[in-house]
Amino acid sequence: MTRTPPTSAVLTDAITLKPARPDHFDLAFTATTQPCPWPKAYGGDLVAQAAAAAMRSVTDGKSLHSMHSYFLRPADIGAEVRYEVEVVRDGRGYSTRQVRGYQNGKPLYVCLAGFAAGEAGAAFHAAFDEDVPGPEDLSTSADYLAGRTGGSMTEESKAYWSGGRGFDMRHVPGPVYLTVEGERLPHQAVWLRPFDPLRPVDGLTDAQRDLAALAYVCDYTILEPVLRVLDLAWAEPGLVTASLDHAMWFHRPGPVDGWLLYVQEAVAADAGRGLGTGRFFTRDHRHLATVVQEGLIRPT
């Protein structure tokens, strides 16, 4: 049987929106959640689709600089989500949008998104970790999972981790798919890159598409440092995880087609919740974005 090569079209399909008639706010769009082997859709679909909807409502050149999101209900896989955009404010230097996602007549996602015109000012960014091995020295997810079995992993989930997420992901230390590879440290790094060049997306510039790409991919691994320090793997039988809330700041533009280093840290874990932070860097050390996310972590 011939397998379809992994492709970044998973991402660009997810953030391709269709204009719709608004029922509640000023503009509306629809988008479809992408296939995944879990009971409900991937949370990064919602963040990236909402980011695309918000960006399509700003027409004066301002750039997305922050998003603050809540996940209210799980989303159905392969089903349409309706995003309604409220134009909260348009100022000279900054604009604000509220986006709500609806499915089956109920709100399942809400965010506030901020946009900035940009201005001259001093620059600073977090330090790049020079000691992290380069991606060429690390195993791909597909190589790591080849011939391995265990826990709740199915052939479907194995294929998804290997090539179904649109991005090649390589962990430092090793991944947490079946077991926690390496020490139970509260931090990790993930090199990631689209499987092939990102396609144009209707209604978005390439720079806006790249911002949506960061919003999409950030959710896959942001809770892994929490799992790592708790000695929990994704294939732990009975493990339940879910995104609860999410914040993201976009510091400066940068291409997403090359390798990015996603440096992550566990901040807290208690009462069935875990908090993780992450920072995206280009290979030439530019700090593109920062992420903070809290998630449900419910072991057996």
Side-chain angles (χ1 to χ4, degrees), residues 22-25 27-28 82-86 98-100 102:
D23 291 334
H24 306 283
F25 296 125
L27 298 96
R82 180 185 187 86
Y83 294 93
E84 297 253 354
V85 183
E86 180 183 11
Q98 180 187 189
V99 183
R100 289 191 187 183
Y102 296 86

Side-chain angles (χ1 to χ4, degrees), residues 37-296:
W38 324 125
K40 293 296 178 178
Y42 167 55
D45 275 3
L46 306 183
V47 181
Q49 290 167 353
M55 287 188 286
R56 289 183 61 165
S57 76
V58 177
T59 59
D60 60 1
K62 295 188 185 77
S63 180
L64 180 66
H65 75 83
S66 68
M67 293 182 70
H68 301 266
S69 307
Y70 280 88
F71 301 86
L72 309 179
R73 291 180 174 88
D76 293 336
I77 298 168
E80 187 176 271
V81 179
R82 180 185 187 86
Y83 294 93
E84 297 253 354
V85 183
E86 180 183 11
V87 179
V88 178
R89 177 179 183 270
D90 276 321
R92 181 183 302 174
Y94 293 87
S95 293
T96 306
R97 300 291 187 264
Q98 180 187 189
V99 183
R100 289 191 187 183
Y102 296 86
Q103 195 176 72
N104 304 318
K106 297 180 180 179
L108 51 76
Y109 170 90
V110 62
C111 83
L112 284 174
F115 293 80
E119 56 190 270
F124 169 80
H125 61 79
F128 182 93
D129 189 349
E130 302 269 8
D131 295 329
V132 176
E136 297 83 2
D137 299 323
L138 303 171
S139 296
T140 66
S141 297
D143 288 341
Y144 174 82
L145 289 167
R148 294 177 186 256
T149 59
S152 64
M153 185 181 72
T154 63
E155 287 302 311
E156 187 181 14
S157 60
K158 184 176 178 179
Y160 185 70
W161 284 330
S162 297
R165 299 179 290 183
F167 284 77
D168 184 349
M169 301 185 194
R170 308 185 184 192
H171 286 70
V172 182
V176 294
Y177 298 128
L178 300 174
T179 60
V180 175
E181 294 286 325
E183 297 181 65
R184 288 175 52 183
L185 300 171
H187 54 78
Q188 69 173 22
V190 180
W191 284 104
L192 53 89
R193 180 179 65 178
F195 282 118
D196 53 14
L198 297 181
R199 294 150 180 80
V201 175
D202 288 345
L204 299 179
T205 66
D206 287 353
Q208 290 172 328
R209 176 206 59 199
D210 288 355
L211 293 177
L214 290 179
Y216 169 86
V217 76
C218 72
D219 192 22
Y220 277 121
T221 56
I222 186 64
L223 293 180
E224 287 186 349
V226 183
L227 297 181
R228 187 178 295 279
V229 78
L230 297 177
D231 199 24
L232 295 171
W234 287 119
E236 180 82 16
L239 176 66
V240 176
T241 64
S243 302
L244 296 174
D245 56 13
H246 175 283
M248 192 165 189
W249 294 266
F250 304 91
H251 309 305
R252 52 186 56 83
V256 177
D257 273 340
W259 285 110
L260 298 177
L261 183 64
Y262 191 15
V263 179
Q264 303 162 340
E265 184 174 1
V267 176
D270 204 353
R273 301 188 308 276
L275 185 72
T277 65
R279 299 191 298 273
F280 284 100
F281 294 89
T282 62
R283 287 198 88 165
D284 60 359
H285 303 183
R286 282 178 291 164
H287 180 194
L288 300 185
T290 299
V291 185
V292 179
Q293 180 161 303
E294 185 178 48
L296 168 74

